[in-house]
Amino acid sequence: MAKTVSKDMIIAEILSLDPAMADILMAAGMHCVFCPSQSGESLAEAAMVHGMDADQLVEKLNEYLATKES
């Protein structure tokens, strides 16, 4: 089964798919990927707090996963 990210996923869950995705989140400006809230906050919630577009983050993360699978 292919791995995909959704904006409803908890940050820790996303990082468990591939810890390297922390680099993508941090490059987008989400520098709290290693703070305690990452274990209870969804990507959508974190994006809202940081003034980011969750859909764009999902797209970038899924593009990364797609390149790893091919």
Side-chain angles (χ1 to χ4, degrees):
M1 175 184 241
K3 299 180 205 176
T4 59
V5 172
S6 74
K7 62 184 175 184
D8 298 324
M9 291 174 73
I10 302 298
I11 302 285
E13 184 180 4
I14 293 169
L15 296 177
S16 73
L17 292 175
D18 187 329
M21 289 195 285
D23 294 337
I24 296 168
L25 294 171
M26 291 180 66
M30 192 175 290
H31 301 283
C32 67
V33 294
F34 299 110
C35 74
S37 66
Q38 60 97 4
S39 64
E41 193 170 57
S42 71
L43 182 61
E45 292 167 332
M48 182 182 66
V49 168
H50 292 284
M52 299 176 178
D53 184 332
D55 293 320
Q56 285 181 341
L57 289 172
V58 167
E59 185 177 329
K60 286 180 184 178
L61 294 168
N62 284 324
E63 285 175 1
Y64 167 77
L65 289 175
T67 61
K68 283 199 67 171
E69 290 178 1
S70 55

